[in-house]
Amino acid sequence: MGTPLLDVHNLTVVYGRTDGVYAVRDVNLTLHHGEFLGLVGESGCGKSTLAYAIARLIKPPAHIAQGTVTFREHNLLGLHGEALRHERWEHLAVVLQSGMNALNPLMTIERQFFDVMSQHTRWPMSKQRERVYELLEMVHVERRFASCYPHQLSGGMKQRVAIALSMILEPELIIMDEPTTALDVVVQRTILDNLMEIRKAREFAVIFVSHDLGLVLEIADRVAVMYAGEIVEAQPAEQLYAQPLHPYTRALLKSVADPDDIRERRFSGLPGHPPDLHLDSIGPGCPFYPRCTEHEDRCRNEKPTLSPMGPESVVSCWIRRKEPVDA
Amino acid sequence: MRYLTRRVAFLIGTLWVALTFNFLIPRMMPGSPAETMIANFHGKGQINPNALHAIQIMLGISTAPLWKQYLQYWGQVLQFKFGISYTYFPYTVTHMIAQALPYTLILVGACTVISFVLGTSLGIAAAWWRGGRFDATATTALNFSSAFPYFWFALFAAYWVSFRFHWLPLSGAFSSSISPMFNWTFVSSALRHAILPALTIVISSMGGWLLGMRNNMISTLREDYIVLAEAKGLRASWIAFRYAARNAILPNITGFAMALGFVVSGSLVMETVFAYPGIGYLLVNAVGNEDYPLMQGVFLIIVLAVVMANFVVDLLYVFIDPRVSNEGRV
Amino acid sequence: MGTTENVAPDRRTLTAHPVRTTKSTRHRRGFLAVLWANKKSRAGMLLLGLFVMTALIGPWIAPYSPYATNYAIMQTPTLHHWLGTTQNGQDVLSELIYGTRLSLEVTFVAGFGATAISIVMAFAAGYLGRWLDDILSFITNVFLVIPGLPLMVVLAAYSPVRGIIVIMAVLTVTGWAWGARVLRAQVLALRNRDYVIAARFAGEAPFRIMFREILPNMLSLVGANFLGASLAALLGAASLEFLGFGDPTALSWGSMLYWAQNSGALLQGQWAWIFAPGFCIALLGMSLILLNFGLDEISNPRLRGES
Ligand SMILES: Nc1ncnc2c1ncn2[C@@H]1O[C@H](COP(=O)(O)OP(=O)(O)O)[C@@H](O)[C@H]1O
Ligand SMILES: [Mg+2]
């Protein structure tokens, strides 16, 4: 497999002071070149925070309390100034959750492409313009929209533009935070098809954040499931679908099967709410324990750690670790 | 197009309300100070019947039915005929306004622009380095300074700078030993007289712009497009100006437009403290001397200027903010 | 510094941002408790309390009667007259103490009046809505556009009587528009809240909904507006009186400044006579600003985390 493209080690992100909200806790994650990783979990479980932390976009009151992020074999968290500026977008791009607001309302679409190119490359204007058209074509947005302002585009188009924007400099990794959540199902479908089609043509890794497990299972190579700021399970997509390990994943899968739930974006298989992530409300045991249908005594007081269950799967659950895996 | 129609409607509506208001006030007040004033006019000398008529229409000394007075009033206003000043007999109100206007426009206009530019730039800096030392000091100091009466500050400035140390002239727009002509002696004297009033205005009005810009900018910096700009690896200065400040300044533009309109009203207090012969001084004196025609004329000019300035900026907005002119999609 | 002529940008900084105020228990704990808990607003409360006390017990603590004219005129500060004497030989310090009452009255009566109009306009426009909203918003915008101080001056000039009542009325009439705009926006936001919609479907009367469901949830914004309007009234009254449009015989800080200026106090070295009333105005204004910091944190919890 070679060295991974991205290696996140023991990453913890806190909102506020040390007694604040622990939105990401001790997360370990690796990503290989060209891999499509889905990151799923209910909203509020820390997915965006993790994605932002990897992209170096964490701002006060949030801060990275511990951990390292190694990207392309160097320490991403240690980069500053020009080095960080060049790492961004040339190697690591993002598509934001609310893509609708990610475009500067006072700049035409093409200017928002040009400023990246003129600050990262020495391409002549003609080449820059060519590139804009090429990218817009790739995401199926007509050329004439290049000179429009964002408010003149529909939501779906804006999100396509945001995706096109992320690919200008052909980065090795694109982090997409719920890129299609705000769109209706049909538009969402066409954008994802488009994304898969683009990925066939060129190689880049993706971290795709979504609360929709069904959708992620369709498009991702590997899926990591987050709960209460932690990764509780990670497996290749087919394997996770065929044999989910964590009770939380099972509950999520069960609601995927129910068409009503998908339409209304809820999880009927899973009563209750995700826990509060304040330091003083985190108990000693498994964070999923209060909602878990399979728990035993140990789960209440002892916290399971993420442990390998097969060649490519990890889970953090006491129950599962006792069972033999029939792989 | 819809935007334009709405703006024109607002312009017309505001002018109509203000002018009607101006028409009604003298007619609604009990007793008739205006009539007493006209009686006193005759002590001053021969009064031109046309001018007398104008005054009567403007102030409502008439037995004609109200609607007829209203029409006549509009006729006068549209021709800028406000009658004769009582205080500055035999000069017309229009003449007096024309005399005072340049001083106010130049001094207060320049100050307004300077304080907007300075305040806005410092506001950008405070927001960009928010929480830093400059931000903390400037924000706190300016918040408190907004509690000080301007004239109080101006009085002390005049006392120390002019009276005690004689660095700058104490009052007036130019030295009393020269007459206003366009030559170097006059211009240099006018400049020397303008420095202190200008400084006091700029210092006192800059804070509002600074705090306003800082707050807008801080909320803009939380927007997704700023996060994305940062993720794009753009240079910090580009993000600060092209992404953040450019968006954050929009709400302040309206305030600036109003301030530009208010320029014509001069600064009543500043012009009084420094006896600066601008529009504000004229208005204060007119009121003090119960010079109703002059007062009415000045007030109308002031309102006209504010409303027009507002309208012009509303139009400019079309170029500043692409979202304004076209709401629909392509 | 409050030029009052450039009221627009200044007021903006003094008004709490209309933000999500949820139905929280915070309000039930009482404003005073919350304000007391914040360091800045506690300072503001203490400062304001000091002025209120002075206004109440002024006649007992003033060294002389402010009306007594039997001292040497135009004295600079001395041991007997800490702030000097006036052109009529009155004791400046006693005037200052006695004047507190009227200055406070004008400030808060006009501030209250303006806020009351703002609230009525905001509810009428934002809740009763439709064509009424169009008309009232237009009126509000007109008042926002017309320059404040010249309007005050003209209104004061046309008024058949001069006096403190006129000043209060003028300040009220010219001071409500900005608040009406801000509060209207908040009413519009709150009227679509679940609990308001629920109350509407439950058939509650509009007035009941306005006063029981909506108003309690925008109290901090109303409070911030009251403080802003009061500050504007304080400075506006001072300017009007300074320009000579008040009642010069009424004893207030503004009229003291008028007399001081007209007697050429500064030119005769009587800085204390000018300094003291202006400084009191500034201190009272500061107490309002400090109180507003506290309110701002209540209505805008985001600020709490950041500072
Ligand atoms: N600005 C903030 N201040 C305090 N807590 C926050 C802030 N933003 C997010 N959080 C908390 O961090 C947790 C994770 O949020 P987020 O990463 O946005 O979750 P997700 O993307 O999975 O929905 C949530 O519980 C939320 O309450
Ligand atoms: Mg999220």
Side-chain angles (χ1 to χ4, degrees):
Chain A
M1 280 254 212
T3 46
L5 172 65
L6 175 77
D7 186 19
V8 177
H9 185 68
N10 282 357
L11 191 69
T12 299
V13 184
V14 184
Y15 285 92
R17 298 190 199 88
T18 41
D19 58 344
V21 176
Y22 281 64
V24 169
R25 293 187 288 157
D26 255 331
V27 163
N28 289 291
L29 188 72
T30 51
L31 185 72
H32 294 281
H33 288 273
E35 189 178 17
F36 195 120
L37 174 79
L39 187 62
V40 293
E42 285 164 288
S43 85
C45 69
K47 307 178 300 286
S48 298
T49 309
L50 176 57
Y52 272 50
I54 295 171
R56 283 291 307 268
L57 292 172
I58 290 290
K59 281 197 191 140
H63 64 275
I64 293 176
Q66 74 167 38
T68 56
V69 177
T70 313
F71 179 61
R72 301 194 313 124
E73 295 177 46
H74 49 242
N75 174 12
L76 193 58
L77 301 184
L79 289 185
H80 290 288
E82 278 295 283
L84 175 62
R85 192 172 85 70
H86 282 292
E87 197 69 24
R88 286 176 158 162
W89 230 252
E90 292 173 30
H91 303 286
L92 170 78
V94 298
V95 176
L96 293 182
Q97 176 157 18
S98 36
M100 316 290 167
N101 307 324
L103 298 172
N104 184 343
L106 300 185
M107 270 191 193
T108 59
I109 302 296
E110 57 188 0
R111 301 256 340 142
Q112 309 193 35
F113 283 80
F114 293 155
D115 65 6
V116 171
M117 290 185 265
S118 49
Q119 294 195 23
H120 286 283
T121 71
R122 290 169 183 280
W123 297 344
M125 202 54 210
S126 57
K127 164 137 198 223
Q128 293 191 13
R129 194 171 292 277
E130 249 339 284
R131 182 77 180 137
V132 174
Y133 292 152
E134 185 188 331
L135 287 162
L136 287 182
E137 198 168 315
M138 190 174 78
V139 295
H140 306 308
V141 171
E142 285 172 58
R143 271 181 185 209
R144 65 195 170 95
F145 288 107
S147 54
C148 286
Y149 288 94
H151 73 274
Q152 296 169 299
L153 274 59
S154 69
M157 274 200 275
K158 274 190 264 191
Q159 199 54 278
R160 288 165 187 278
V161 168
I163 293 173
L165 206 51
S166 72
M167 299 190 192
I168 305 178
L169 304 176
E170 312 209 312
E172 286 95 324
L173 172 61
I174 302 181
I175 297 178
M176 300 188 173
D177 185 6
E178 312 247 14
T180 57
T181 302
L183 305 171
D184 67 65
V185 183
V186 180
V187 180
Q188 175 171 342
R189 187 82 262 160
T190 54
I191 290 186
L192 289 177
D193 289 345
N194 186 205
L195 185 62
M196 300 318 285
E197 162 199 324
I198 296 167
R199 256 178 53 81
K200 271 193 204 123
R202 53 201 92 195
E203 161 126 326
F204 55 91
V206 176
I207 296 182
F208 189 97
V209 175
S210 173
H211 64 275
D212 187 345
L213 179 57
L215 184 124
V216 168
L217 281 174
E218 263 183 69
I219 54 176
D221 302 330
R222 196 156 58 95
V223 176
V225 180
M226 261 187 108
Y227 187 77
E230 296 173 9
I231 289 186
V232 293
E233 165 166 7
Q235 294 204 70
E238 308 85 57
Q239 206 171 315
L240 184 124
Y241 181 68
Q243 193 184 52
L245 295 171
H246 200 280
Y248 179 59
T249 318
R250 293 184 175 183
L252 288 183
L253 262 180
K254 215 160 97 196
S255 54
V256 166
D258 186 343
D260 274 355
D261 282 6
I262 296 179
R263 205 172 323 116
E264 300 184 6
R265 291 184 180 140
R266 67 189 157 112
F267 302 107
S268 69
L270 191 60
H273 297 283
D276 182 7
L277 298 178
H278 265 96
L279 179 62
D280 42 11
S281 46
I282 300 173
C286 170
F288 189 60
Y289 164 79
R291 300 167 80 190
C292 187
T293 48
E294 306 178 40
H295 65 249
E296 59 183 39
D297 277 352
R298 189 181 192 185
C299 304
R300 183 211 293 268
N301 300 316
E302 241 180 291
K303 196 171 154 139
T305 50
L306 201 60
S307 337
M309 293 292 290
E312 287 183 83
S313 35
V314 286
V315 71
S316 103
C317 176
W318 292 126
I319 313 275
R320 214 56 70 219
R321 275 162 69 174
K322 292 193 308 193
E323 295 171 1
V325 188
D326 42 279
Chain B
M1 227 25 234
R2 211 174 130 245
Y3 174 75
L4 195 68
T5 327
R6 287 181 63 133
R7 294 335 296 166
V8 172
F10 181 69
L11 172 76
I12 294 173
T14 322
L15 283 179
W16 176 74
V17 169
L19 288 166
T20 305
F21 195 60
N22 197 45
F23 168 81
L24 288 177
I25 295 180
R27 286 167 175 79
M28 285 191 313
M29 40 174 200
S32 183
E35 239 165 302
T36 330
M37 184 201 73
I38 293 217
N40 290 343
F41 252 124
H42 296 293
K44 292 205 167 195
Q46 197 60 43
I47 185 165
N48 174 333
N50 270 337
L52 187 64
H53 183 62
I55 296 175
Q56 285 166 338
I57 291 174
M58 293 301 291
L59 298 178
I61 306 160
S62 166
T63 48
L66 209 58
W67 64 267
K68 205 167 174 185
Q69 290 187 35
Y70 191 54
L71 288 184
Q72 288 174 324
Y73 165 83
W74 270 98
Q76 294 288 318
V77 168
L78 291 178
Q79 300 171 63
F80 287 101
K81 280 190 186 158
F82 306 125
I84 291 184
S85 159
Y86 172 66
T87 325
Y88 303 96
F89 186 85
Y91 288 116
T92 62
V93 169
T94 319
H95 173 86
M96 292 314 298
I97 292 177
Q99 281 238 305
L101 206 51
Y103 292 107
T104 288
L105 282 186
I106 294 175
L107 176 61
V108 185
C111 290
T112 305
V113 175
I114 292 173
S115 82
F116 177 74
V117 171
L118 268 179
T120 303
S121 321
L122 293 177
I124 294 175
W128 190 255
W129 290 290
R130 64 191 169 286
R133 196 180 299 163
F134 170 70
D135 181 35
T137 357
T139 311
T140 317
L142 287 171
N143 258 316
F144 286 131
S145 79
S146 66
F148 286 85
Y150 160 78
F151 61 87
W152 183 71
F153 160 69
L155 284 176
F156 275 97
Y159 175 66
W160 287 107
V161 174
S162 306
F163 186 70
R164 290 297 287 271
F165 294 117
H166 303 286
W167 285 332
L168 290 166
L170 184 59
S171 67
F174 50 88
S175 165
S176 53
S177 58
I178 56 178
S179 57
M181 282 199 305
F182 203 74
N183 56 31
W184 175 240
T185 338
F186 172 71
V187 170
S188 69
S189 167
L191 281 179
R192 277 176 52 78
H193 280 76
I195 294 176
L196 188 59
L199 274 179
T200 59
I201 299 185
V202 169
I203 291 174
S204 68
S205 57
M206 202 177 67
W209 299 121
L210 193 157
L211 294 177
M213 187 62 187
R214 173 187 177 272
N215 293 347
N216 292 348
M217 179 100 171
I218 284 181
S219 33
T220 306
L221 285 172
R222 278 199 278 260
E223 297 281 346
D224 279 331
Y225 53 81
I226 302 291
V227 176
L228 192 81
E230 216 173 295
K232 274 158 90 176
L234 300 177
R235 294 197 177 86
S237 57
W238 183 261
I239 300 176
F241 291 103
R242 273 313 300 263
Y243 278 73
R246 177 77 171 75
N247 278 285
I249 206 170
L250 286 181
N252 267 20
I253 295 279
T254 317
F256 183 52
M258 302 242 276
L260 280 183
F262 292 168
V263 163
V264 173
S265 73
S267 165
L268 266 60
V269 185
M270 178 279 284
E271 292 178 7
T272 306
V273 169
F274 294 100
Y276 199 84
I279 293 282
Y281 195 53
L282 202 60
L283 179 61
V284 172
N285 279 342
V287 174
N289 296 326
E290 301 192 337
D291 187 346
Y292 292 100
L294 184 57
M295 185 170 94
Q296 215 179 28
V298 171
F299 186 66
L300 277 183
I301 289 292
I302 290 174
V303 171
L304 204 65
V306 176
V307 175
M308 287 309 291
N310 218 44
F311 179 66
V312 169
V313 168
D314 278 342
L315 293 190
L316 288 180
Y317 237 88
V318 175
F319 301 98
I320 306 171
D321 187 346
R323 284 164 297 186
V324 160
S325 57
N326 100 40
E327 320 263 293
R329 312 224 149 100
V330 175
Chain C
M1 266 141 271
T3 30
T4 32
E5 279 143 280
N6 295 338
V7 184
D10 283 348
R11 273 302 293 282
R12 206 158 307 170
T13 60
L14 236 192
T15 323
H17 326 281
V19 287
R20 288 136 285 186
T21 22
T22 46
K23 251 197 150 170
S24 66
T25 49
R26 180 166 286 280
H27 291 303
R28 250 154 258 151
R29 229 177 84 209
F31 267 114
L32 291 184
V34 177
L35 288 180
W36 189 255
N38 178 291
K39 235 188 286 171
K40 284 179 184 165
S41 53
R42 189 189 309 169
M45 280 168 95
L46 290 173
L47 203 52
L48 182 60
L50 196 70
F51 281 115
V52 173
M53 279 303 283
T54 311
L56 290 177
I57 61 168
W60 290 278
I61 55 170
Y64 308 97
S65 159
Y67 306 107
T69 50
N70 40 1
Y71 313 105
I73 62 163
M74 295 301 265
Q75 293 180 58
T76 48
T78 64
L79 262 184
H80 296 286
H81 301 282
W82 292 356
L83 297 175
T85 58
T86 71
Q87 82 290 352
N88 293 328
Q90 293 141 299
D91 178 54
V92 174
L93 178 61
S94 305
E95 282 198 335
L96 191 71
I97 293 174
Y98 270 79
T100 308
R101 187 177 289 180
L102 196 55
S103 292
L104 281 182
E105 271 171 23
V106 174
T107 301
F108 291 116
V109 169
F112 183 83
T115 310
I117 299 183
S118 302
I119 293 176
V120 171
M121 294 294 270
F123 273 102
Y127 195 83
L128 302 177
R130 277 184 253 151
W131 57 269
L132 194 60
D133 187 15
D134 286 340
I135 295 176
L136 294 183
S137 296
F138 172 73
I139 297 177
T140 308
N141 285 337
V142 170
F143 268 87
L144 275 176
V145 164
I146 292 178
L149 198 56
L151 180 62
M152 288 182 207
V153 165
V154 169
L155 285 179
Y158 273 122
S159 147
V161 286
R162 284 273 162 90
I164 217 70
I165 303 285
V166 177
I167 295 227
M168 289 183 197
V170 165
L171 290 170
T172 304
V173 169
T174 52
W176 57 271
W178 181 255
R181 182 189 240 183
V182 174
L183 293 180
R184 172 182 166 272
Q186 184 74 348
V187 170
L188 284 180
L190 288 178
R191 62 171 292 178
N192 291 325
R193 285 299 163 76
D194 296 342
Y195 56 86
V196 176
I197 293 174
R200 210 157 49 213
F201 280 123
E204 283 193 40
F207 277 96
R208 203 182 145 78
I209 297 179
M210 283 191 251
F211 288 99
R212 294 294 293 275
E213 305 290 342
I214 298 184
L215 193 59
N217 282 299
M218 47 191 279
L219 277 186
S220 53
L221 195 62
V222 170
N225 252 296
F226 171 69
L227 294 176
S230 299
L231 180 61
L234 172 70
L235 294 171
S239 296
L240 280 178
E241 290 182 303
F242 174 74
L243 292 173
F245 301 122
D247 173 5
T249 60
L251 205 50
S252 72
W253 297 334
S255 68
M256 285 177 73
L257 285 162
Y258 169 77
W259 284 115
Q261 170 70 355
N262 277 11
S263 328
L266 269 186
L267 306 190
Q268 309 209 21
Q270 267 188 299
W271 57 270
W273 188 6
I274 294 231
F275 180 83
F279 192 65
C280 283
I281 292 174
L283 277 184
L284 179 57
M286 265 185 219
S287 76
L288 301 177
I289 291 172
L290 284 168
L291 277 171
N292 193 60
F293 279 131
L295 273 189
D296 223 15
E297 289 195 10
I298 296 175
S299 63
N300 197 356
R302 240 174 171 171
L303 292 174
R304 250 174 287 159
E306 276 178 28
S307 58

